[in-house]
Amino acid sequence: MSLPKAITYTLKDIYALPDGERAELIDGRIYSMAPPNRIHQKILMELCFILNNYVKVQQGSCEVYPAPFAVFIGKDDKNYVEPDISVICDKSKLTDKGCHGAPDFIIEIVSPSSRKMDYTTKNALYSDFGVREYWIVDPVKERTTVYRYEEDAAPMIVPFSVPITVGIYQDLVITIAELLD
């Protein structure tokens, strides 16, 4: 007896979702997305403000996008994500539809329903496709896990009360606890 054939989904299936329903596509599997809570949105808004303001003050070339923002991370039609925050420094990756290729810096803010996705599935995806830096901000555990893939270093686990230097900028330091006051 043969095993049932696994269904492989594509971008066509993502675009066919009913209006208002959000999902991500990783290696041909669809993952539904739950609506974020208030703390998630507060952290998202504050981090976007800090990053966007930094880029403007420095007259940098990077652009900062909060979710929902489409990231077509692979060259195929089997990977599509909507990171909480995407920072893209190569403007040739940007189109009206989103980002085609890996953002330089991605931040995911953990929700109870996204814990496994953020720490395992997305971590591997972002590493494999060339994201330079990935933060997992975990409000429940009050810590941020920082991956700097291009440095090939072990992840750093940083309590919210401790300042974190943004690796792609080096002169930008963020303390997550200050965002929650």
Side-chain angles (χ1 to χ4, degrees), residues 29 34 36 43 47 70 76 81-82 84 90 112-113 129 137 159 164 173 177:
R29 290 187 60 198
I43 293 170
L47 284 170
D76 59 24
V81 290
E82 292 183 9
D84 289 318
D90 178 355
S113 63
F129 281 98
V137 179
I164 308 169
V173 177

Side-chain angles (χ1 to χ4, degrees), residues 111-132:
S111 299
S113 63
S114 72
R115 181 168 298 285
K116 184 176 180 186
M117 283 287 295
D118 294 338
Y119 280 102
T120 58
T121 308
K122 287 185 176 181
N123 184 16
L125 182 77
Y126 297 157
S127 174
D128 289 346
F129 281 98
V131 171
R132 294 169 54 198

Side-chain angles (χ1 to χ4, degrees), residues 2-120:
S2 65
L3 294 172
K5 186 176 179 184
I7 296 173
T8 301
Y9 295 96
T10 66
L11 284 171
K12 186 190 293 186
D13 297 299
I14 291 291
Y15 289 128
L17 291 171
D19 284 346
E21 188 173 329
R22 291 179 51 216
E24 295 177 305
L25 179 67
I26 300 175
D27 294 328
R29 290 187 60 198
I30 289 181
Y31 297 89
S32 294
M33 299 171 70
N37 65 27
R38 184 187 66 81
I39 296 300
H40 178 284
Q41 292 302 92
K42 181 174 178 67
I43 293 170
L44 175 101
M45 186 182 82
E46 294 292 338
L47 284 170
C48 278
F49 175 79
I50 289 167
L51 291 165
N52 200 50
N53 189 55
Y54 175 85
V55 170
K56 284 183 177 183
V57 167
Q58 298 298 317
Q59 298 178 342
S61 62
C62 301
E63 294 194 18
V64 180
Y65 294 95
F69 179 73
V71 174
F72 307 93
I73 199 158
K75 299 235 184 262
D76 59 24
D77 64 349
K78 293 176 182 54
N79 289 289
Y80 165 91
V81 290
E82 292 183 9
D84 289 318
I85 301 172
S86 301
V87 179
I88 299 102
C89 300
D90 178 355
K91 290 187 182 181
S92 71
K93 293 180 180 180
L94 296 171
T95 69
D96 287 343
K97 290 191 175 207
C99 177
H100 295 267
D104 293 271
F105 180 27
I106 288 178
I107 299 174
E108 294 285 7
I109 302 159
V110 175
S111 299
S113 63
S114 72
R115 181 168 298 285
K116 184 176 180 186
M117 283 287 295
D118 294 338
Y119 280 102
T120 58

